[in-house]
Amino acid sequence: MIGKLFGLARPLIHKLDAETAHRLTIAALAAAPPLRPGADDPALAVEAFGLRFANPVGLAAGFDKHAEAIDGALGLGFGFVEIGGVTPLPQPGNPRPRVFRLPEDEAVINRYGLNSEGMEAVAARLSARRRRGGLVGVNLGANKDSADRSADYAILTRRLAPLADFLTINVSSPNTPGLRDLQAESALDDLIARALAARDEAQAEGRATPILLKIAPDLSLPELDGMVGVALKRGIDGMIVSNSTVARPDTLRGAAKGEIGGLSGKPLFTPSTRLLAETFLRVEGRFPLVGVGGIDSARTAFAKIRAGAALVQFYSALVFKGPGLIGEIKHGLASEVRNAGLPRLSALVGRDAAAIARGETI
């Protein structure tokens, strides 16, 4: 039903500029009573990072930046929601316009610049809904004018770890100048060490909130080697592959293709999936991975699983295909499990990682 409603509303929504349409969508989800999705197929259940996910399909960070519509998003059928990016202090981000649709490419370019209402506003909203259930992660970012960006991640971790099911260290946003410098091996090692120490201080007793690392799709393989090495050495709980890209494929047709910012959506699928497979081969099962980038169907979601993802996330495809896509992906993944004669989707994780990393057909 909700998919049909989106189909009717889409022409009107797309007449609005992209950011206005986004804000109206968040407001609608926040105001409406949350839906009650049906029970998920047991074959889709996933155990990862010490958490149990009823299904592996998540909402990527960037959609609900300020934790305003968590319950509305979970009601659409997502197995988990990641909010943010969140910065310690409020910041407005870059000037508008800063997000652009490329409908011919089913892609989006954004240069939001980590616009955030700040850590305390998000903490208040997370505290207010703690008893409502559903798995919620928080994507962490540094303030643009911070003198010590690594310290920002420690501050955020200390404050938000008790309120979240997992935290994501985001050093891969292309829209904050210099932020991707923190992906360098020595800088990343210091940052992760400080974040883990802050997590442990905040949670001296009870379960330690998992901390994940989100990386860019534009890494070279030697850079990936260094980041995986740090993650394994420091005992991080998982990685998210990947953020948006600064690359511009020659195939882009949209009028906004020359805009500065991170490109997400369909054109990101192949490079992000190959990087995911490369990451899976390096991690060797020592922690789970989350696959993000270009998912727009059950087929592409399953490709992420075959490349090594225990869980998947998407956001940009909602702009073009609407929330009905969530159920379509879950149904398709359950069908793949049955066709393989296996009890769980998790048995298929990484099945084709080596072939995908070699550049064979995804």
Side-chain angles (χ1 to χ4, degrees):
M1 179 64 180
I2 193 166
K4 292 180 180 178
L5 289 173
F6 173 81
L8 293 172
R10 178 181 167 182
L12 297 175
I13 294 171
H14 281 215
K15 285 184 177 179
L16 301 171
D17 74 87
E19 185 166 352
T20 298
H22 181 200
R23 288 303 310 158
L24 287 174
T25 301
I26 292 292
L29 274 178
L35 300 172
R36 295 181 178 273
D40 287 309
D41 190 316
L44 296 181
V46 175
E47 301 279 345
F49 324 121
L51 301 170
R52 185 183 186 279
F53 298 78
N55 75 72
V57 183
L59 178 61
F63 178 80
D64 187 4
K65 291 176 175 291
H66 316 304
E68 299 170 278
I70 292 171
D71 296 302
L74 287 168
L76 297 176
F78 284 111
F80 63 107
V81 166
E82 184 176 346
I83 60 98
V86 180
T87 55
L89 299 175
Q91 64 179 24
N94 293 321
R96 296 178 68 166
R98 53 191 178 178
V99 57
F100 309 89
R101 304 184 194 95
L102 286 70
E104 301 91 340
D105 307 293
E106 294 187 28
V108 174
I109 292 173
N110 94 81
R111 52 171 179 265
Y112 275 112
L114 284 174
N115 56 311
S116 174
E117 292 184 3
M119 173 179 72
E120 291 304 330
V122 168
R125 292 181 184 125
L126 291 172
S127 296
R129 68 158 309 277
R130 287 192 72 185
R131 299 183 183 277
R132 296 179 196 165
L135 294 176
V136 181
V138 182
N139 186 284
L140 311 180
N143 279 116
K144 182 178 180 179
D145 59 357
S146 175
D148 185 348
R149 288 179 171 171
S150 292
D152 280 10
Y153 290 93
I155 290 166
L156 288 161
T157 299
R158 191 175 292 108
R159 180 69 177 97
L160 297 176
L163 303 174
D165 293 296
F166 66 89
L167 299 176
T168 300
I169 294 173
N170 176 10
V171 290
S172 52
S173 170
N175 298 313
T176 298
L179 187 70
R180 286 191 172 188
D181 293 345
L182 294 174
Q183 293 184 127
E185 194 169 342
S186 59
L188 184 65
D189 184 63
D190 174 66
L191 187 159
I192 291 177
R194 293 164 78 173
L196 291 173
R199 189 266 312 269
D200 294 342
E201 290 171 16
Q203 299 178 290
E205 299 179 3
R207 182 187 69 88
T209 300
I211 292 183
L212 315 183
L213 174 66
K214 188 168 187 176
I215 64 175
D218 309 306
L219 297 171
S220 67
L221 292 183
E223 288 170 330
L224 178 64
D225 290 337
M227 296 190 77
V228 170
V230 170
L232 291 172
K233 181 181 77 171
R234 288 294 177 186
I236 209 162
D237 296 285
M239 292 176 67
I240 300 180
V241 187
S242 66
N243 212 316
S244 56
T245 180
V246 295
R248 293 293 184 269
D250 293 338
T251 54
L252 291 181
R253 296 173 292 156
K257 65 183 180 180
E259 293 289 346
I260 295 170
L263 174 71
S264 60
K266 198 167 189 173
L268 184 57
F269 173 71
T270 296
S272 64
T273 306
R274 286 181 177 159
L275 186 70
L276 171 65
E278 293 281 8
T279 306
F280 179 80
L281 296 175
R282 286 158 172 76
V283 167
E284 296 180 327
R286 284 173 281 184
F287 53 62
L289 304 177
V290 182
V292 195
I295 293 174
D296 64 354
S297 63
R299 182 194 69 80
T300 51
F302 186 51
K304 297 287 188 186
I305 303 293
R306 293 187 292 107
L311 303 164
V312 297
Q313 292 176 312
F314 67 93
Y315 161 23
S316 296
L318 290 174
V319 175
F320 304 103
K321 298 195 172 182
L325 180 60
I326 304 161
E328 291 174 20
I329 289 175
K330 292 193 294 183
H331 177 76
L333 292 178
S335 295
E336 292 289 353
V337 176
R338 287 191 291 273
N339 291 341
L342 296 168
R344 290 283 186 274
L345 182 65
S346 55
L348 296 167
V349 171
R351 184 184 69 179
D352 299 324
I356 292 171
R358 288 194 299 268
E360 298 178 12
T361 302
I362 298 174

PDB file of all heavy atoms in Angstrom, residues 115-133:
ATOM      1  N   ASN A 115      25.708  18.579   8.183  1.00  0.00           N
ATOM      2  CA  ASN A 115      24.800  19.460   8.907  1.00  0.00           C
ATOM      3  C   ASN A 115      24.182  18.670  10.057  1.00  0.00           C
ATOM      4  O   ASN A 115      23.664  17.578   9.863  1.00  0.00           O
ATOM      5  CB  ASN A 115      23.718  20.009   7.977  1.00  0.00           C
ATOM      6  CG  ASN A 115      22.926  18.915   7.282  1.00  0.00           C
ATOM      7  OD1 ASN A 115      23.500  17.989   6.712  1.00  0.00           O
ATOM      8  ND2 ASN A 115      21.609  19.012   7.324  1.00  0.00           N
ATOM      9  N   SER A 116      24.258  19.185  11.261  1.00  0.00           N
ATOM     10  CA  SER A 116      23.834  18.428  12.433  1.00  0.00           C
ATOM     11  C   SER A 116      23.259  19.361  13.491  1.00  0.00           C
ATOM     12  O   SER A 116      23.764  20.478  13.677  1.00  0.00           O
ATOM     13  CB  SER A 116      25.030  17.658  13.014  1.00  0.00           C
ATOM     14  OG  SER A 116      24.695  17.024  14.237  1.00  0.00           O
ATOM     15  N   GLU A 117      22.231  18.902  14.163  1.00  0.00           N
ATOM     16  CA  GLU A 117      21.702  19.650  15.301  1.00  0.00           C
ATOM     17  C   GLU A 117      22.549  19.434  16.549  1.00  0.00           C
ATOM     18  O   GLU A 117      22.296  20.047  17.583  1.00  0.00           O
ATOM     19  CB  GLU A 117      20.248  19.252  15.561  1.00  0.00           C
ATOM     20  CG  GLU A 117      19.312  19.700  14.451  1.00  0.00           C
ATOM     21  CD  GLU A 117      17.856  19.390  14.741  1.00  0.00           C
ATOM     22  OE1 GLU A 117      17.557  18.866  15.833  1.00  0.00           O
ATOM     23  OE2 GLU A 117      17.028  19.672  13.871  1.00  0.00           O
ATOM     24  N   GLY A 118      23.536  18.570  16.436  1.00  0.00           N
ATOM     25  CA  GLY A 118      24.480  18.378  17.530  1.00  0.00           C
ATOM     26  C   GLY A 118      24.144  17.199  18.421  1.00  0.00           C
ATOM     27  O   GLY A 118      23.029  16.676  18.454  1.00  0.00           O
ATOM     28  N   MET A 119      25.153  16.798  19.162  1.00  0.00           N
ATOM     29  CA  MET A 119      25.107  15.605  20.003  1.00  0.00           C
ATOM     30  C   MET A 119      23.998  15.631  21.046  1.00  0.00           C
ATOM     31  O   MET A 119      23.305  14.636  21.263  1.00  0.00           O
ATOM     32  CB  MET A 119      26.477  15.487  20.675  1.00  0.00           C
ATOM     33  CG  MET A 119      26.657  14.443  21.714  1.00  0.00           C
ATOM     34  SD  MET A 119      28.365  14.501  22.331  1.00  0.00           S
ATOM     35  CE  MET A 119      28.328  16.026  23.303  1.00  0.00           C
ATOM     36  N   GLU A 120      23.783  16.758  21.694  1.00  0.00           N
ATOM     37  CA  GLU A 120      22.811  16.797  22.784  1.00  0.00           C
ATOM     38  C   GLU A 120      21.383  16.670  22.277  1.00  0.00           C
ATOM     39  O   GLU A 120      20.545  16.014  22.909  1.00  0.00           O
ATOM     40  CB  GLU A 120      22.993  18.067  23.616  1.00  0.00           C
ATOM     41  CG  GLU A 120      24.285  18.094  24.427  1.00  0.00           C
ATOM     42  CD  GLU A 120      24.434  16.892  25.367  1.00  0.00           C
ATOM     43  OE1 GLU A 120      23.405  16.354  25.838  1.00  0.00           O
ATOM     44  OE2 GLU A 120      25.578  16.485  25.618  1.00  0.00           O
ATOM     45  N   ALA A 121      21.074  17.282  21.145  1.00  0.00           N
ATOM     46  CA  ALA A 121      19.729  17.150  20.586  1.00  0.00           C
ATOM     47  C   ALA A 121      19.438  15.699  20.211  1.00  0.00           C
ATOM     48  O   ALA A 121      18.339  15.174  20.467  1.00  0.00           O
ATOM     49  CB  ALA A 121      19.576  18.054  19.366  1.00  0.00           C
ATOM     50  N   VAL A 122      20.423  15.045  19.617  1.00  0.00           N
ATOM     51  CA  VAL A 122      20.253  13.641  19.240  1.00  0.00           C
ATOM     52  C   VAL A 122      20.156  12.757  20.479  1.00  0.00           C
ATOM     53  O   VAL A 122      19.325  11.844  20.548  1.00  0.00           O
ATOM     54  CB  VAL A 122      21.411  13.197  18.329  1.00  0.00           C
ATOM     55  CG1 VAL A 122      21.425  11.684  18.158  1.00  0.00           C
ATOM     56  CG2 VAL A 122      21.300  13.885  16.978  1.00  0.00           C
ATOM     57  N   ALA A 123      20.979  13.018  21.477  1.00  0.00           N
ATOM     58  CA  ALA A 123      20.934  12.229  22.712  1.00  0.00           C
ATOM     59  C   ALA A 123      19.556  12.320  23.371  1.00  0.00           C
ATOM     60  O   ALA A 123      19.027  11.317  23.880  1.00  0.00           O
ATOM     61  CB  ALA A 123      22.015  12.701  23.673  1.00  0.00           C
ATOM     62  N   ALA A 124      18.959  13.500  23.359  1.00  0.00           N
ATOM     63  CA  ALA A 124      17.634  13.670  23.958  1.00  0.00           C
ATOM     64  C   ALA A 124      16.595  12.830  23.220  1.00  0.00           C
ATOM     65  O   ALA A 124      15.721  12.195  23.841  1.00  0.00           O
ATOM     66  CB  ALA A 124      17.241  15.142  23.947  1.00  0.00           C
ATOM     67  N   ARG A 125      16.664  12.804  21.896  1.00  0.00           N
ATOM     68  CA  ARG A 125      15.686  12.026  21.121  1.00  0.00           C
ATOM     69  C   ARG A 125      15.902  10.527  21.309  1.00  0.00           C
ATOM     70  O   ARG A 125      14.937   9.752  21.397  1.00  0.00           O
ATOM     71  CB  ARG A 125      15.769  12.413  19.648  1.00  0.00           C
ATOM     72  CG  ARG A 125      15.279  13.841  19.399  1.00  0.00           C
ATOM     73  CD  ARG A 125      15.342  14.237  17.941  1.00  0.00           C
ATOM     74  NE  ARG A 125      14.949  15.623  17.788  1.00  0.00           N
ATOM     75  CZ  ARG A 125      15.681  16.568  17.189  1.00  0.00           C
ATOM     76  NH1 ARG A 125      16.853  16.230  16.637  1.00  0.00           N
ATOM     77  NH2 ARG A 125      15.261  17.802  17.122  1.00  0.00           N
ATOM     78  N   LEU A 126      17.158  10.102  21.365  1.00  0.00           N
ATOM     79  CA  LEU A 126      17.430   8.683  21.596  1.00  0.00           C
ATOM     80  C   LEU A 126      16.955   8.261  22.982  1.00  0.00           C
ATOM     81  O   LEU A 126      16.379   7.174  23.149  1.00  0.00           O
ATOM     82  CB  LEU A 126      18.922   8.403  21.439  1.00  0.00           C
ATOM     83  CG  LEU A 126      19.491   8.509  20.027  1.00  0.00           C
ATOM     84  CD1 LEU A 126      21.007   8.392  20.061  1.00  0.00           C
ATOM     85  CD2 LEU A 126      18.902   7.450  19.108  1.00  0.00           C
ATOM     86  N   SER A 127      17.168   9.108  23.976  1.00  0.00           N
ATOM     87  CA  SER A 127      16.734   8.791  25.344  1.00  0.00           C
ATOM     88  C   SER A 127      15.216   8.667  25.420  1.00  0.00           C
ATOM     89  O   SER A 127      14.681   7.799  26.124  1.00  0.00           O
ATOM     90  CB  SER A 127      17.214   9.879  26.311  1.00  0.00           C
ATOM     91  OG  SER A 127      18.617   9.912  26.377  1.00  0.00           O
ATOM     92  N   ALA A 128      14.520   9.522  24.685  1.00  0.00           N
ATOM     93  CA  ALA A 128      13.056   9.552  24.757  1.00  0.00           C
ATOM     94  C   ALA A 128      12.411   8.302  24.176  1.00  0.00           C
ATOM     95  O   ALA A 128      11.267   7.982  24.511  1.00  0.00           O
ATOM     96  CB  ALA A 128      12.533  10.784  24.041  1.00  0.00           C
ATOM     97  N   ARG A 129      13.113   7.582  23.300  1.00  0.00           N
ATOM     98  CA  ARG A 129      12.506   6.414  22.647  1.00  0.00           C
ATOM     99  C   ARG A 129      13.183   5.094  23.036  1.00  0.00           C
ATOM    100  O   ARG A 129      12.946   4.057  22.404  1.00  0.00           O
ATOM    101  CB  ARG A 129      12.553   6.571  21.121  1.00  0.00           C
ATOM    102  CG  ARG A 129      13.954   6.514  20.528  1.00  0.00           C
ATOM    103  CD  ARG A 129      13.962   6.129  19.063  1.00  0.00           C
ATOM    104  NE  ARG A 129      13.210   4.943  18.766  1.00  0.00           N
ATOM    105  CZ  ARG A 129      13.674   3.701  18.910  1.00  0.00           C
ATOM    106  NH1 ARG A 129      14.895   3.477  19.404  1.00  0.00           N
ATOM    107  NH2 ARG A 129      12.911   2.674  18.587  1.00  0.00           N
ATOM    108  N   ARG A 130      13.964   5.088  24.061  1.00  0.00           N
ATOM    109  CA  ARG A 130      14.783   3.910  24.364  1.00  0.00           C
ATOM    110  C   ARG A 130      13.961   2.648  24.591  1.00  0.00           C
ATOM    111  O   ARG A 130      14.419   1.541  24.321  1.00  0.00           O
ATOM    112  CB  ARG A 130      15.655   4.176  25.591  1.00  0.00           C
ATOM    113  CG  ARG A 130      16.804   5.113  25.312  1.00  0.00           C
ATOM    114  CD  ARG A 130      17.798   5.136  26.448  1.00  0.00           C
ATOM    115  NE  ARG A 130      18.572   3.892  26.505  1.00  0.00           N
ATOM    116  CZ  ARG A 130      19.446   3.609  27.466  1.00  0.00           C
ATOM    117  NH1 ARG A 130      19.625   4.461  28.456  1.00  0.00           N
ATOM    118  NH2 ARG A 130      20.125   2.493  27.456  1.00  0.00           N
ATOM    119  N   ARG A 131      12.753   2.754  25.110  1.00  0.00           N
ATOM    120  CA  ARG A 131      11.951   1.575  25.444  1.00  0.00           C
ATOM    121  C   ARG A 131      11.095   1.088  24.278  1.00  0.00           C
ATOM    122  O   ARG A 131      10.326   0.145  24.432  1.00  0.00           O
ATOM    123  CB  ARG A 131      11.064   1.877  26.651  1.00  0.00           C
ATOM    124  CG  ARG A 131      11.854   2.231  27.898  1.00  0.00           C
ATOM    125  CD  ARG A 131      10.940   2.447  29.096  1.00  0.00           C
ATOM    126  NE  ARG A 131      11.696   2.850  30.266  1.00  0.00           N
ATOM    127  CZ  ARG A 131      12.331   2.017  31.090  1.00  0.00           C
ATOM    128  NH1 ARG A 131      12.297   0.714  30.858  1.00  0.00           N
ATOM    129  NH2 ARG A 131      12.995   2.466  32.139  1.00  0.00           N
ATOM    130  N   ARG A 132      11.233   1.715  23.114  1.00  0.00           N
ATOM    131  CA  ARG A 132      10.354   1.361  21.993  1.00  0.00           C
ATOM    132  C   ARG A 132      10.894   0.224  21.131  1.00  0.00           C
ATOM    133  O   ARG A 132      10.201  -0.258  20.241  1.00  0.00           O
ATOM    134  CB  ARG A 132      10.116   2.597  21.118  1.00  0.00           C
ATOM    135  CG  ARG A 132       9.387   3.695  21.852  1.00  0.00           C
ATOM    136  CD  ARG A 132       9.184   4.895  20.962  1.00  0.00           C
ATOM    137  NE  ARG A 132       8.841   6.076  21.741  1.00  0.00           N
ATOM    138  CZ  ARG A 132       8.874   7.313  21.275  1.00  0.00           C
ATOM    139  NH1 ARG A 132       9.236   7.544  20.020  1.00  0.00           N
ATOM    140  NH2 ARG A 132       8.550   8.335  22.048  1.00  0.00           N
ATOM    141  N   GLY A 133      12.108  -0.187  21.356  1.00  0.00           N
ATOM    142  CA  GLY A 133      12.649  -1.311  20.597  1.00  0.00           C
ATOM    143  C   GLY A 133      13.166  -0.896  19.233  1.00  0.00           C
ATOM    144  O   GLY A 133      13.085   0.270  18.831  1.00  0.00           O
TER     145      GLY A 133
END
